[in-house]
């Protein structure tokens, strides 16, 4: 396993400055780059530990605070263990910020994040990978659609609303995707019901996108997030196996 160092940094975007965390080899050597998109709770210690784990496997991992327009992380006042059922009012803070992060903003920001990876001496030359969680899975699709030449592989886990009737639904990016994709859907997830799963599968297939979509039985929405009540150990371990397999085959 690679010895890892974590570093805080700022990334200049077209709309401001995004604070971010990068996990990289402690010796400063260049490794394949991975852009990791956060869930709705934001950039916090658990996301940093996930980035560290991925970096230990041999990658340079960038985790931006995609809500930077609303402030530096932590954007929200959250407990160490997040259980929305005990603090439902937290969604009154989170939802407006999520809704303000439009597809147009997401695509614009993705360009800045990918440029940082392209310019960094910590990142090996060539295309990178992208992974995302919860709302981050939507950002994955917007990124691979808007910047197909920069992304070789991408994955999304317990993503919601990936294939809707909206004119800017993430699944409509499929015709522009050149990367290999993987999606691990949460079982019985109201934000990604079977009809959306089917539409995503059919759209990716029709567009000729190399992909695999799987449903994690018994895993709730948010199953990878160990600092939340949604965590599911079996689903999380399956997610790591699938993600590392995708990256191993890509790089």
């Amino acid at each position: 396993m690679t010895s890892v160092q974590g570093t805080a940094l700022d990334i200049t975007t077209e709309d401001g400055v995004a604070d971010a965390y990068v996990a990289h080899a402690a010796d400063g050597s260049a490794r394949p780059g991975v852009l990791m998109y956060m869930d709705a709770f934001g950039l916090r210690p658990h996301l940093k530990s996930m980035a560290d784990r991925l970096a230990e496997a041999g990658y340079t991992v960038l985790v931006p605070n995609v809500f930077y327009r609303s402030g530096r992380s932590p954007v929200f006042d959250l407990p160490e263990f997040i259980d929305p059922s005990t603090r439902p009012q937290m969604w009154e803070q989170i939802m407006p910020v999520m809704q303000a992060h439009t597809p147009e903003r997401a695509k614009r920001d993705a360009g800045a994040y990918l440029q940082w990876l392209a310019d960094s001496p910590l990142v090996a030359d060539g295309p990178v990978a992208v992974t995302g969680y919860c709302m981050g899975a939507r950002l994955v699709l917007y990124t691979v659609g808007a910047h197909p030449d920069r992304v070789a592989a991408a994955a999304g886990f317990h993503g919601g609303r990936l294939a809707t009737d909206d004119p800017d639904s993430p699944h409509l990016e499929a015709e522009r995707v050149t990367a290999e994709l993987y999606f691990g859907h949460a079982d019985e997830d109201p934000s990604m019901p079977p009809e959306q799963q089917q539409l995503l599968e059919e759209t990716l297939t029709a567009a000729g996108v190399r992909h695999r979509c799987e449903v994690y039985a018994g895993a709730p929405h948010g199953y990878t997030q160990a600092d939340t009540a949604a965590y599911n150990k079996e689903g999380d371990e399956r997610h790591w196996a699938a993600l590392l397999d995708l990256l191993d085959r890509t790089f």
Side-chain angles (χ1 to χ4, degrees):
M1 302 293 284
T2 301
S3 179
V4 168
Q5 178 179 330
T7 305
L9 68 144
D10 289 340
I11 297 175
T12 299
T13 74
E14 292 184 33
D15 298 338
V17 177
D19 54 300
Y21 176 81
V22 60
H24 58 90
D27 64 5
S29 59
R31 304 297 177 94
V34 180
L35 172 59
M36 177 182 287
Y37 281 126
M38 63 190 214
D39 63 356
F41 297 130
L43 179 55
R44 59 194 192 282
H46 175 62
L47 267 293
K48 294 177 181 179
S49 70
M50 292 180 70
D52 290 348
R53 178 170 174 175
L54 195 52
E56 288 174 354
Y59 303 95
T60 295
V61 187
L62 177 68
V63 193
N65 166 25
V66 304
F67 291 157
Y68 69 88
R69 294 175 182 84
S70 297
R72 298 180 70 86
S73 58
V75 176
F76 310 115
D77 179 20
L78 298 173
E80 289 186 14
F81 183 76
I82 304 168
D83 184 353
S85 68
T86 64
R87 292 180 60 182
Q89 67 274 14
M90 71 174 58
W91 291 114
E92 296 175 7
Q93 285 185 296
I94 296 173
M95 289 305 297
V97 177
M98 284 183 60
Q99 291 166 355
H101 195 58
T102 62
E104 292 75 20
R105 285 183 169 185
K107 293 176 183 180
R108 204 158 59 234
D109 289 349
Y113 306 147
L114 293 171
Q115 190 61 53
W116 185 90
L117 289 167
D119 293 342
S120 174
L122 298 171
V123 181
D125 292 340
V128 301
V130 186
T131 186
Y133 303 87
C134 183
M135 58 159 273
R138 292 172 57 87
L139 303 184
V140 164
L141 279 168
Y142 290 135
T143 298
V144 297
H147 306 277
D149 59 322
R150 291 291 301 124
V151 183
F157 299 92
H158 49 82
R161 296 183 57 78
L162 300 183
T164 71
D165 294 333
D166 296 340
D168 56 5
S169 175
H171 78 289
L172 299 176
E173 300 293 330
E175 63 184 20
R176 291 176 285 278
V177 173
T178 59
E180 179 178 352
L181 304 184
Y182 176 91
F183 290 97
H185 302 308
D187 192 20
E188 300 180 6
D189 183 352
S191 71
M192 192 64 187
E195 57 268 24
Q196 286 196 41
Q197 296 175 19
Q198 181 178 352
L199 179 56
L200 177 63
E201 174 70 37
E202 291 175 348
T203 304
L204 293 175
T205 299
V209 177
R210 293 169 296 148
H211 71 281
R212 187 162 86 252
C213 299
E214 298 181 322
V215 178
Y216 289 23
H221 181 82
Y223 60 80
T224 63
Q225 303 302 299
D227 62 345
T228 76
Y231 181 68
N232 177 274
K233 188 174 187 296
E234 182 179 351
D236 185 33
E237 290 178 350
R238 182 176 174 182
H239 132 262
W240 280 111
L243 178 58
L244 290 172
D245 176 66
L246 177 66
L247 297 180
D248 286 345
R249 288 186 288 105
T250 302
F251 300 113

